């Protein structure tokens, strides 16, 4: 991909496009600085959430096993000085690179300094100023 993701003190996620001189997309949702970001490729979490929604009776177009060559779009998780982790997914209706915040979770009392994804555990791991992981 030719996109670069960044977080700002202006509470925004910014997507930069290769060889452009200005921000390509900006998304604002955090209440304080965006401290850390992680991109989770073809998120298993998204697949599980869709399967759970289908089992709950909602109309969802997802297979338990994707067709060969099919991969879910990556998800973005942003962590902020507000102690929150936000989960971003591509807006399927827009059919382009516009991300929507679909989940907001207060994980720490203070700043979140780091975030990573563990494919072995299939979970997001954060570390914060409150000295908790």
């Amino acid at each position: 991909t030719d996109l670069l993701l960044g977080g700002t003190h202006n509470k925004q996620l910014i997507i930069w496009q290769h060889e452009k001189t200005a921000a390509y997309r900006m998304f604002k949702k955090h209440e304080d600085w965006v401290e850390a970001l992680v991109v989770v490729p073809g998120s298993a979490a998204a697949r599980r959430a869709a399967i759970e929604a289908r089992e709950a009776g909602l109309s969802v177009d997802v297979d338990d096993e994707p067709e060969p060559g099919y991969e879910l779009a990556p998800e973005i998780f942003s962590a902020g000085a507000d102690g929150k982790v936000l989960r971003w997914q591509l807006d399927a209706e827009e059919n382009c690179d516009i991300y929507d915040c679909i989940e907001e979770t207060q994980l720490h009392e203070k700043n979140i300094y780091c975030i990573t994804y563990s494919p072995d555990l299939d979970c997001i791991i954060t570390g914060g100023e409150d000295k908790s992981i």
Side-chain angles (χ1 to χ4, degrees), residues 1-132:
T1 181
D2 64 344
L3 300 178
L4 175 68
L5 184 64
T8 74
H9 70 282
N10 291 332
K11 310 169 194 170
Q12 297 175 318
L13 271 68
I14 298 180
I15 296 178
W16 299 87
Q17 193 170 23
H18 181 66
E19 296 186 12
K20 299 287 183 188
T21 59
Y24 179 62
R25 298 262 192 249
M26 291 186 287
F27 308 103
K28 187 171 183 177
K29 180 76 175 168
H30 278 280
E31 297 170 12
D32 208 333
W33 289 54
V34 177
E35 297 278 1
L37 303 164
V38 66
V39 176
V40 179
S43 175
R47 181 175 314 288
R48 262 198 326 277
I51 291 169
E52 288 170 5
R54 185 179 61 203
E55 289 171 352
L58 301 173
S59 176
V60 177
D61 186 21
V62 67
D63 294 328
D64 293 330
E65 293 299 323
E67 304 215 4
Y70 174 80
E71 188 173 319
L72 287 172
E75 289 184 317
I76 299 169
F77 290 84
S78 59
D82 52 11
K84 295 179 182 177
V85 170
L86 279 72
R87 180 177 168 197
W88 303 81
Q89 283 184 345
L90 279 174
D91 185 338
E93 292 181 11
E94 292 292 330
N95 199 21
C96 63
D97 53 4
I98 295 177
Y99 280 81
D100 286 327
C101 179
I102 63 159
E103 187 176 358
E104 183 176 320
T105 308
Q106 185 78 41
L107 290 181
H108 293 267
E109 296 174 12
K110 299 180 180 181
N111 296 354
I112 298 176
Y113 289 135
C114 58
I115 186 169
T116 191
Y117 172 71
S118 169
D120 293 335
L121 300 174
D122 188 30
C123 70
I124 298 294
I125 301 168
T126 61
E129 183 179 359
D130 57 8
K131 300 180 183 174
S132 65

